[in-house]
């Protein structure tokens, strides 16, 4: 059974940094591009970026490129999202996805507030 | 960025009724490789999104065949032939032809 399990969300203050993780199982993680997508409280979906199966290439939404970094550790079947200088508008549920959006995690909620 | 406009924003249907959702793109989604990367997702209440249709008309594994997708270039449609109670939720179209990938604003399907 395919599973993607995100963690690392929570309440953070504006300007802080946060690192989200997504542990994959049930498929060969190192064979797939992986993505991060977020959903705001108002249910708007936003693509954050993706990373090639070997970690050698990343793409980002231009509006997030300077603050968010995607990485992966194929030995641990884990995808990461490093968020820096977070803002209130980063408040959202963050999902990792794979296999061209066929696989989704349960999401982890990030709330940015002082 | 590509803007995807979904209509209607909400839809109310009875069990067994057939319904359609439209997704219009601000640019052609036909890729240079000949494929059109337009997907449909369903998010049931309290759940993560799930992929229903990929590349306009391909049914994802395990998805009932009452769901079908059609369209080309800038106009796309998701049809549900015989709504069932489990189909309630929010439907999103999304495109992966042009970076950044973008999503429609969603269509909420309610069961009467």
């Amino acid at each position: 059974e395919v599973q993607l399990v995100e963690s690392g969300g929570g309440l953070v203050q504006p300007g802080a940094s946060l690192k989200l993780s997504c542990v994959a199982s049930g498929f060969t993680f190192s064979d797939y591009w992986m993505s991060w997508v977020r959903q705001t409280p108002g249910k708007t979906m936003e693509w954050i970026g993706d990373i090639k199966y070997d970690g050698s290439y990343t793409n980002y939404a231009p509006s997030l490129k300077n603050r968010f970094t995607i990485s992966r550790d194929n030995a641990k079947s884990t995808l990461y999202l490093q968020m820096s200088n977070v803002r209130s508008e980063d408040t959202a549920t963050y999902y990792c996805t794979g296999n061209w959006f066929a696989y989704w995690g349960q999401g982890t909620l990030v709330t940015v507030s002082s | 960025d590509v803007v995807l406009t979904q209509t209607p924003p909400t839809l109310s249907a009875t069990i067994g009724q057939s319904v359609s959702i439209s997704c219009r793109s601000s640019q052609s989604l036909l890729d240079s490789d000949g494929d059109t990367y337009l997907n449909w997702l369903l998010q049931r209440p309290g759940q993560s999104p799930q992929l229903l249709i990929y590349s306009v008309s391909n049914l994802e594994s395990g998805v009932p065949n009452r769901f079908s997708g059609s369209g080309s270039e800038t106009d796309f449609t998701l049809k549900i032939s015989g709504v069932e109670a489990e189909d309630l939720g929010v439907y999103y179209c999304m495109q992966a032809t042009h970076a950044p990938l973008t999503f429609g604003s969603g269509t909420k399907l309610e069961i009467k």
Side-chain angles (χ1 to χ4, degrees):
Chain A
E1 179 193 6
V2 170
Q3 280 200 311
L4 295 172
V5 179
E6 300 96 336
S7 62
L11 176 63
V12 293
Q13 293 197 337
S17 295
L18 191 65
K19 190 171 187 176
L20 307 182
S21 301
C22 169
V23 178
S25 60
F27 65 104
T28 305
F29 179 74
S30 57
D31 283 350
Y32 293 95
W33 285 72
M34 297 292 294
S35 299
W36 285 97
V37 172
R38 68 183 183 182
Q39 185 172 37
T40 68
K43 302 303 181 184
T44 297
M45 302 285 288
E46 182 178 17
W47 177 77
I48 295 168
D50 58 18
I51 185 167
K52 194 176 179 179
Y53 44 81
D54 61 358
S56 64
Y57 190 72
T58 51
N59 294 299
Y60 296 95
S63 61
L64 300 174
K65 184 173 185 177
N66 292 335
R67 297 189 298 119
F68 288 15
T69 302
I70 297 172
S71 61
R72 65 192 296 161
D73 184 338
N74 285 345
K76 296 181 178 179
S77 296
T78 302
L79 178 72
Y80 301 101
L81 177 65
Q82 178 70 52
M83 306 167 61
S84 63
N85 190 24
V86 296
R87 307 164 181 169
S88 59
E89 54 263 39
D90 295 323
T91 294
T93 297
Y94 287 73
Y95 295 99
C96 67
T97 83
N99 190 18
W100 276 104
F101 305 95
Y103 305 154
W104 289 75
Q106 86 289 350
T108 187
L109 177 63
V110 173
T111 303
V112 182
S113 176
S114 55
Chain B
D1 297 2
V2 173
V3 176
L4 298 178
T5 302
Q6 281 186 241
T7 55
T10 60
L11 196 50
S12 186
T14 57
I15 301 299
Q17 183 180 350
S18 292
V19 298
S20 293
I21 300 170
S22 170
C23 177
R24 290 190 170 174
S25 173
S26 61
Q27 301 177 33
S28 173
L29 298 184
L30 177 62
D31 194 65
S32 56
D33 66 5
D35 207 339
T36 300
Y37 297 103
L38 187 284
N39 298 342
W40 290 96
L41 308 169
L42 164 61
Q43 187 173 33
R44 295 188 173 97
Q47 295 187 17
S48 303
Q50 70 166 105
L51 182 64
L52 297 176
I53 302 279
Y54 64 92
S55 296
V56 180
S57 59
N58 296 278
L59 200 64
E60 175 64 10
S61 176
V63 174
N65 60 12
R66 63 179 178 275
F67 292 94
S68 61
S70 63
S72 63
E73 303 264 3
T74 60
D75 288 335
F76 304 93
T77 301
L78 174 71
K79 182 176 181 180
I80 310 173
S81 300
V83 167
E84 298 193 4
E86 65 182 18
D87 299 338
L88 72 93
V90 181
Y91 292 79
Y92 295 93
C93 58
M94 64 158 294
Q95 67 82 23
T97 298
H98 303 286
L101 282 63
T102 52
F103 293 80
S105 56
T107 294
K108 185 176 183 179
L109 175 62
E110 301 171 338
I111 306 298
K112 289 180 183 175

